[in-house]
Amino acid sequence: MERNGRRTFLGVCLGGLAAAVAAVTAWPVYRYLAPRSTGATAARVDIPEKDVPEGEARFFEFNGASAVVVRKRGGGLIALSAVCTHLGCIVQWEKDKQDFLCPCHGGHYSPEGAVTAGPPPKPLTKLPFSVANGTITVG
Ligand code: FES
């Protein structure tokens, strides 16, 4: 009887330890992959043009969600939602490959937001923007 009590106690301790390890491991992964929620509701965002050099991307919050401006090689600008159209993870800019990677399921998008590989069902949403006096205005 006492042996069963010890086994039960050890089982409970190991189960609790496994749950704690899983929680400590999963939380940073969740925070990395989940859409950023800062409560920002800016419907218009100004970004200095100099902050987006050729071949680079600049991420920001737009209407409470992640968005990105890319200056493609050759100079063309584009503003996109950074929320993957598959299950909503935030895409990352791969400067060396000049494309977007969604880290959740390996979706790839071109600099224009078109799906080039993986499970995303549709392109990244384009955002309206204008450029004047060295400032990119999204929204
Ligand atoms: S959430 Fe982006 S590929 Fe699945």
Side-chain angles (χ1 to χ4, degrees), residues 42-47 60 62 67-69 78-80 127-130 135-139:
R44 192 182 123 139
V45 174
D46 290 333
I47 300 167
F60 57 97
F62 179 72
V68 61
V69 168
I78 191 162
L80 301 164
L127 302 175
F129 72 96
S130 60
T135 300
I136 304 164
T137 301
V138 179

Side-chain angles (χ1 to χ4, degrees), residues 54-129:
E54 188 171 322
E56 300 274 355
R58 166 92 186 255
F59 288 79
F60 57 97
E61 294 292 313
F62 179 72
N63 276 342
S66 292
V68 61
V69 168
V70 177
R71 185 181 302 278
K72 296 178 281 183
R73 288 191 175 144
L77 279 169
I78 191 162
L80 301 164
S81 165
V83 179
C84 180
T85 59
H86 181 223
L87 293 177
C89 291
I90 304 304
V91 298
Q92 300 169 354
W93 177 243
E94 296 188 304
K95 182 182 174 188
D96 53 332
K97 296 178 183 168
Q98 292 290 294
D99 81 350
F100 290 101
L101 164 68
C102 179
C104 291
H105 309 102
H108 282 267
Y109 299 89
S110 72
E112 294 80 19
V115 178
T116 56
K122 56 186 182 178
L124 296 173
T125 303
K126 290 185 176 157
L127 302 175
F129 72 96

Side-chain angles (χ1 to χ4, degrees), residues 23-57:
V24 166
T25 304
W27 180 249
V29 172
Y30 169 76
R31 291 299 303 156
Y32 177 73
L33 296 176
R36 292 174 212 136
S37 177
T38 62
T41 56
R44 192 182 123 139
V45 174
D46 290 333
I47 300 167
E49 261 197 290
K50 66 176 176 45
D51 288 0
V52 192
E54 188 171 322
E56 300 274 355

